[in-house]
């Protein structure tokens, strides 16, 4: 825009997105170079990054109001070895909190420019901006071995997940500024949970996982992927959610938007960002460290690293059985580390015909041995449906419960309730039996329904409530949906 408009560059950084767009171009160039060995766009990215170094390095000229250039420059440093790119990324991180992002009209907290990064304890302002910044913060901390900077990011992540994150892994409770609300301000019906925020959270978690090796970050990536992100895409793959609430009322209507998925948006950040994450999913499945291959996410795949070549077969997340067959292995002993999610109450592991090991603790379960071609590791994760209760400080859902099965959060849609039972009249009995059955539903396809004991108010009539995975909602009609269900008084 600025190249063709005649306006001077970098004079409206609070809103212009100039370096934000540069960051996405740089990330695309790095991806093309790594994935296809094509350096043509990388040459453009290097020229642009060199320009930014000349314009901004060692100055207080300003910061882009929408972070992403920080992590892009760190990634370009990894690809080229040019330290000036990392130095500029570190400068942009350290200059936050000095008012250099300019006046957005939304206040400095909106732009994460109210306090220095190292001094902040909680996420504030526009969610996507905040979480893209955190990805850059983690990149800079990892590449410069800055423990204080990394520690500040870890501190904010813990606070965000504890007090500012929805059950689906989504973030953002305020529509007005697409932003974080107060701690425990998590209304299900007014949840913003922008799809791009889920993607930004996923990217931040990935960097924290690489920096620390802590399985909780891989657990959260899974929660985001299957719920907060997965719900954004219609079953037929052509329509998208910009926002992802946890409840839709029977008469929901806002401005000109009835709250259904749409083919496109005037602010079209979400659909292409969805495609970017889907196109790169294979890169988040596993990593190697020393002589050990770490498997972070489970899906049908071919994994190679740390002297192991594996084929993974599974029907996860519908089934908790994961099979890892050795296709080739180095002659020396090697480690295979399997992530055991915190939600798996009873996990079992076996190798070939060895007796199963039960009671496996959450985290990474490491099998270290000399492997042979044809060896099969079997991992059984516990997908028993479970009741989930909210923190007592989340006022909007006090007295409610939700259902989860494995990594999937469930929801109740009006379309599934029997005998015309109104969803708004349904209450459930936590502790009651949760049944499950595989079904095929029109507009949705394969799924696993969960049934729950409940009552219809005001007469307390016994009834069976039916829930489906949250990521499959809104594929049939525009009627009500709830993740958090009121508890029966008994």
């Amino acid at each position: 825009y600025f190249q063709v408009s005649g306006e001077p560059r970098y004079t409206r950084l609070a809103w212009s997105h100039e370096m934000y767009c540069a960051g996405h171009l740089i990330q695309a160039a790095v991806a093309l170079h790594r994935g296809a060995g094509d350096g043509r766009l990388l040459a453009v990215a290097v020229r642009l990054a060199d320009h930014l170094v000349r314009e901004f390095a060692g100055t207080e000229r300003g910061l882009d109001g929408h972070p992403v250039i920080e992590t892009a420059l760190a990634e370009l440093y990894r690809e080229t070895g040019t330290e000036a790119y990392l130095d500029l990324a570190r400068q942009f991180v350290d200059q936050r909190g000095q008012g250099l992002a300019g006046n957005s009209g939304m206040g400095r907290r909106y732009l994460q420019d109210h306090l220095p990064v190292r001094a902040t304890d909680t996420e504030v302002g526009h969610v996507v901006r905040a979480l893209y910044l955190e990805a850059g913060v983690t990149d800079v901390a990892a590449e410069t071995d800055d423990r204080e900077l990394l520690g500040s990011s870890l501190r904010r992540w813990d606070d965000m997940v504890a007090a500012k994150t929805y059950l689906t892994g989504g973030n953002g409770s305020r529509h007005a500024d697409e932003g974080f609300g107060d701690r425990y301000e998590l209304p299900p019906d007014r949840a913003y949970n922008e799809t791009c925020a889920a993607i930004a959270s996923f990217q931040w978690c990935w960097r924290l996982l690489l920096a620390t090796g802590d399985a909780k970050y891989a657990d959260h990536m899974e929660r985001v992927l299957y719920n907060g992100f997965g719900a954004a895409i219609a079953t037929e793959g052509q329509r998208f959610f910009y926002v992802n609430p946890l409840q839709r009322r029977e008469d929901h209507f806002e401005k000109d938007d009835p709250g259904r998925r749409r083919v496109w948006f005037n602010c079209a950040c979400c659909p292409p960002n969805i495609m970017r994450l889907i196109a790169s999913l294979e890169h988040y499945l596993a990593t190697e460290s020393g002589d050990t291959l770490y498997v972070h996410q489970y899906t049908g795949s071919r994994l190679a690293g740390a002297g192991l070549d594996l084929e993974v077969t599974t029907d996860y997340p519908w089934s908790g059985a994961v099979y890892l067959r050795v296709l080739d292995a180095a002659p020396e002993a090697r480690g295979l580390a399997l992530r055991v999610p915190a939600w798996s109450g009873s996990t079992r592991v076996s190798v070939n015909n060895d007796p199963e090991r039960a009671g496996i603790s959450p985290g990474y379960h490491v099998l270290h041995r000399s492997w042979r071609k044809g060896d099969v590791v079997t991992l059984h994760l516990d997908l028993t449906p479970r009741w989930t209760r909210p923190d007592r400080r989340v006022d909007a859902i006090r007295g409610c419960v939700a259902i989860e099965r494995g990594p999937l959060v469930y929801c109740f849609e009006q379309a599934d309730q029997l005998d015309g039972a109104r969803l708004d009249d349904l209450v459930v009995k936590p502790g009651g039996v949760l049944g499950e059955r595989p079904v095929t539903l029109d507009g949705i396809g394969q799924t696993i329904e969960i049934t729950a004991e409940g009552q219809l108010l005001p007469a307390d009539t016994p009834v069976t409530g039916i829930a489906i995975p949250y990521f499959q909602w809104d594929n049939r009609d525009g009627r009500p949906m709830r993740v958090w269900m009121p508890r029966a008084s008994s």
Side-chain angles (χ1 to χ4, degrees):
Y1 170 82
F2 280 84
Q3 286 180 328
V4 301
S5 70
E7 293 187 39
R9 289 181 175 181
Y10 313 125
T11 56
R12 294 198 287 122
L13 282 172
W15 280 111
S16 67
H17 289 66
E18 289 167 87
M19 283 191 276
Y20 170 83
C21 291
H24 281 301
L25 185 146
I26 291 169
Q27 289 178 329
V30 170
L32 183 62
H33 189 243
R34 287 179 181 167
D38 188 334
R40 290 174 296 171
L41 190 58
L42 186 67
V44 177
V46 165
R47 189 165 69 247
L48 178 53
D50 288 344
H51 161 76
L52 293 176
V53 169
R54 290 193 302 270
E55 293 286 329
F56 289 93
T59 76
E60 295 184 350
R61 185 173 177 183
L63 300 171
D64 198 292
H66 201 311
V68 92
I69 188 62
E70 298 84 358
T71 191
L73 287 170
E75 207 66 67
L76 188 61
Y77 157 74
R78 292 178 178 135
E79 197 70 6
T80 65
T82 303
E83 292 190 5
Y85 305 150
L86 180 62
D87 291 342
L88 185 57
R90 177 169 49 192
Q91 173 185 310
F92 286 153
V93 167
D94 284 338
Q95 285 180 335
R96 287 275 161 181
Q98 299 177 26
L100 297 178
N103 180 13
S104 67
M106 305 286 285
R108 288 173 61 176
R109 289 165 63 91
Y110 176 82
L111 300 177
Q112 295 77 49
D113 199 24
H114 61 302
L115 286 172
V117 167
R118 299 168 194 268
T120 59
D121 295 323
T122 190
E123 299 295 349
V124 300
H126 187 275
V127 176
V128 181
R129 284 172 164 85
L131 301 189
Y132 276 162
L133 177 61
E134 291 289 8
V137 167
T138 307
D139 279 335
V140 168
E143 294 298 339
T144 61
D145 196 27
D146 190 330
R147 303 299 177 88
E148 179 192 35
L149 185 61
L150 178 60
S152 75
S153 195
L154 298 175
R155 184 172 69 244
R156 288 186 297 275
W157 189 91
D158 285 340
D159 179 78
M160 182 189 78
V161 171
K164 294 189 175 183
T165 298
Y166 285 89
L167 184 63
T168 58
N171 295 109
S173 57
R174 294 187 180 178
H175 284 238
D177 56 359
E178 300 181 317
F180 288 102
D182 301 333
R183 302 180 82 244
Y184 304 106
E185 179 191 339
L186 296 168
D189 49 347
R190 297 300 298 157
Y192 198 73
N193 287 351
E194 184 181 339
T195 299
C196 285
I199 295 167
S201 174
F202 189 88
Q203 293 177 352
W204 182 24
C205 288
W206 172 244
R207 287 159 173 81
L208 291 177
L209 174 64
L210 295 179
T212 68
D214 194 324
K216 70 182 182 181
Y217 302 114
D219 279 4
H220 198 65
M221 290 172 70
E222 179 181 70
R223 178 173 294 277
V224 170
L225 183 65
Y226 283 103
N227 302 288
F229 172 79
I233 312 164
T235 299
E236 32 78 350
Q238 299 297 314
R239 294 174 296 122
F240 308 92
F241 273 138
Y242 195 108
V243 302
N244 295 274
L246 279 69
Q247 179 181 351
R248 180 166 62 198
R249 299 182 185 279
E250 187 169 10
D251 58 348
H252 174 76
F253 197 87
E254 184 167 348
K255 295 183 179 178
D256 291 325
D257 182 6
R260 304 297 305 278
R261 291 186 184 88
R262 296 165 59 183
V263 174
W264 199 246
F265 306 94
N266 289 334
C267 181
C269 52
C270 293
N273 214 4
I274 289 169
M275 297 305 109
R276 177 172 67 140
L277 180 57
I278 290 175
S280 62
L281 278 177
E282 63 192 79
H283 300 292
Y284 302 108
L285 300 181
T287 56
E288 62 179 357
S289 181
D291 66 352
T292 301
L293 178 64
Y294 287 79
V295 183
H296 306 300
Q297 308 296 337
Y298 299 113
T299 187
S301 54
R302 175 85 175 266
L303 306 176
L308 289 173
D309 187 355
L310 305 176
E311 179 184 55
V312 182
T313 56
T314 181
D315 196 28
Y316 189 83
W318 305 120
S319 166
V322 182
Y323 305 96
L324 303 97
R325 183 165 65 93
V326 177
L327 302 179
D328 197 9
E332 303 85 5
R334 289 289 186 267
L336 176 60
L338 306 177
R339 180 178 62 89
V340 178
W343 49 255
S344 183
S346 176
T347 303
R348 311 190 311 275
V349 176
S350 64
V351 180
N352 299 330
N353 296 318
D354 293 349
E356 283 192 331
R357 304 181 192 181
I360 306 297
S361 300
Y364 286 101
H365 182 70
V366 182
L367 301 166
H368 199 274
R369 58 186 287 166
S370 294
W371 299 94
R372 298 179 180 177
K373 181 179 179 180
D375 284 345
V376 176
V377 176
T378 303
L379 172 69
H380 287 283
L381 299 174
D382 184 2
L383 300 189
T384 303
R386 61 194 186 274
W387 293 102
T388 299
R389 291 169 172 79
D391 189 288
R392 58 180 172 77
R393 291 162 287 192
V394 186
D395 299 287
I397 49 175
R398 189 175 291 148
C400 293
V401 289
I403 295 172
E404 297 181 85
R405 180 183 184 271
L408 299 179
V409 173
Y410 270 66
C411 70
F412 291 76
E413 278 200 288
Q414 182 63 66
D416 297 307
Q417 307 318 309
L418 303 174
D419 301 323
R422 291 183 70 249
L423 189 59
D424 286 347
D425 295 334
L426 177 63
V427 296
V428 296
K429 296 181 177 180
V433 175
L434 294 174
E436 56 180 298
R437 60 176 183 174
V439 296
T440 301
L441 300 176
D442 290 342
I444 289 179
Q446 176 189 4
T447 192
I448 291 182
E449 284 185 343
I450 291 181
T451 57
E453 297 178 59
Q455 297 173 340
L456 282 183
L457 302 178
D460 293 336
T461 306
V463 70
T464 297
I466 298 175
I468 65 167
Y470 171 74
F471 82 87
Q472 293 179 316
W473 85 282
D474 192 56
N475 280 289
R476 291 169 290 181
D477 56 39
R479 290 189 288 169
M481 178 275 296
R482 294 182 71 118
V483 169
W484 291 104
M485 297 296 296
R487 297 195 305 250
S489 58
S490 60

